[in-house]
Amino acid sequence: MSAAVAEQDERAAADAIEVLIVDDHAVVRRGLVAYLESTSGIEVVAEAVDGQDALDKLRRMATEGRLPRVVLMDVLMPRMDGITAIGAVRAAHPDVQIVVLTSFGELERVQTALQAGAAGYLLKDADPDEIAAAIRAADRGEVHLDPAVAGRLARHLVSPPTGIAALTSRERTILALVARGLSNREIAAKLFIGERTARTHVSHVLSKLQLASRTQAALVAIREGLIPPPGM
């Protein structure tokens, strides 16, 4: 290898986008690492098994002055889910961009992830080149969405539903649990999500239905048949 080529390779490595992969499935992480390590301009610098592990690793990396530029984050994980982790990472390390890579494309999840600070949202059936494109877009400060996800968002913005029809299936579940008297913590435990995520869901439900209290939400749930009236 000539000195010029070696110097070019070193410069490319120095300019590579450092990525932290966060997914609780080892086989997914191995696949992503194998692909991204063969992709020019992208370097996988660490892996994490869930949101809490990601925060711990980022904290250590920050003290060593080697924070990654992009985090590739799953949504449904044990200990700390991806949505909660997105908010925590963005609060602690605002220069680190986050791209969601998940199997779940429900509109409510997408909106919650973007509101938490995600710079991209991809489904796990995405083409490998699209994953690389989303990482590069996030590093440029741009938002990259899976085409199917982008289509759902566009349709929602063009003709947004109202009332109970505006709720996603997950939000209907949340409404029913609220109506049964469950607290945010109990809802989080039942749905295997973070308490902060549960609180966000409840807030979205009340906002969409233009309600001021959980009691009003319970009355709506009974009226719409989501739960039976008391005593039945």
Side-chain angles (χ1 to χ4, degrees), residues 205-227:
V205 168
L206 295 179
S207 176
K208 285 185 176 182
L209 297 179
Q210 298 182 329
L211 302 175
S213 69
R214 298 168 83 99
T215 300
Q216 291 178 345
L219 294 175
V220 170
I222 294 171
R223 185 188 68 204
E224 297 294 335
L226 297 181
I227 66 168

Side-chain angles (χ1 to χ4, degrees), residues 27-200:
V27 67
V28 174
R29 297 197 306 274
R30 283 197 295 268
L32 289 169
V33 169
Y35 170 71
L36 293 176
E37 286 188 340
S38 66
T39 302
S40 176
I42 296 177
E43 178 188 3
V44 177
V45 294
E47 302 173 37
V49 300
D50 56 41
Q52 185 59 58
D53 189 29
L55 282 174
D56 294 341
K57 283 186 166 62
L58 287 171
R59 189 179 302 111
R60 289 196 295 270
M61 295 170 82
T63 62
E64 298 166 359
R66 57 184 189 93
L67 274 174
R69 284 149 63 178
V70 176
V71 173
L72 198 57
M73 179 89 70
D74 192 12
V75 169
L76 192 60
M77 297 180 291
R79 290 208 300 171
M80 181 184 291
D81 64 275
I83 302 298
T84 302
I86 290 170
V89 170
R90 293 293 292 159
H93 312 288
D95 291 334
V96 176
Q97 303 300 320
I98 302 172
V99 174
V100 170
L101 180 64
T102 181
S103 301
F104 306 96
E106 298 95 333
L107 186 59
E108 182 262 346
R109 286 185 191 270
V110 177
Q111 292 175 317
T112 303
L114 295 177
Q115 289 167 354
Y121 198 106
L122 296 178
L123 301 181
K124 284 186 176 177
D125 60 359
D127 185 275
D129 289 341
E130 188 173 1
I131 296 175
I135 290 172
R136 294 189 180 104
D139 189 56
R140 293 192 302 267
E142 302 170 1
V143 175
H144 185 103
L145 300 177
D146 186 284
V149 167
R152 293 189 190 108
L153 278 174
R155 288 191 295 274
H156 179 76
L157 292 174
V158 170
S159 55
T162 59
I164 195 73
L167 302 184
T168 64
S169 58
R170 170 53 65 94
E171 287 171 340
R172 287 173 180 253
T173 300
I174 295 288
L175 176 58
L177 294 176
V178 167
R180 293 181 185 278
L182 272 67
S183 67
N184 291 340
R185 178 173 296 181
E186 291 168 332
I187 291 173
K190 191 172 186 66
L191 299 181
F192 302 103
I193 58 177
E195 186 174 352
R196 182 184 300 177
T197 302
R199 183 166 60 249
T200 300

Side-chain angles (χ1 to χ4, degrees), residues 1-16 40-43:
M1 180 183 295
S2 69
V5 172
E7 182 180 352
Q8 184 177 9
D9 288 345
E10 288 178 5
R11 187 162 54 248
D15 293 337
S40 176
I42 296 177
E43 178 188 3

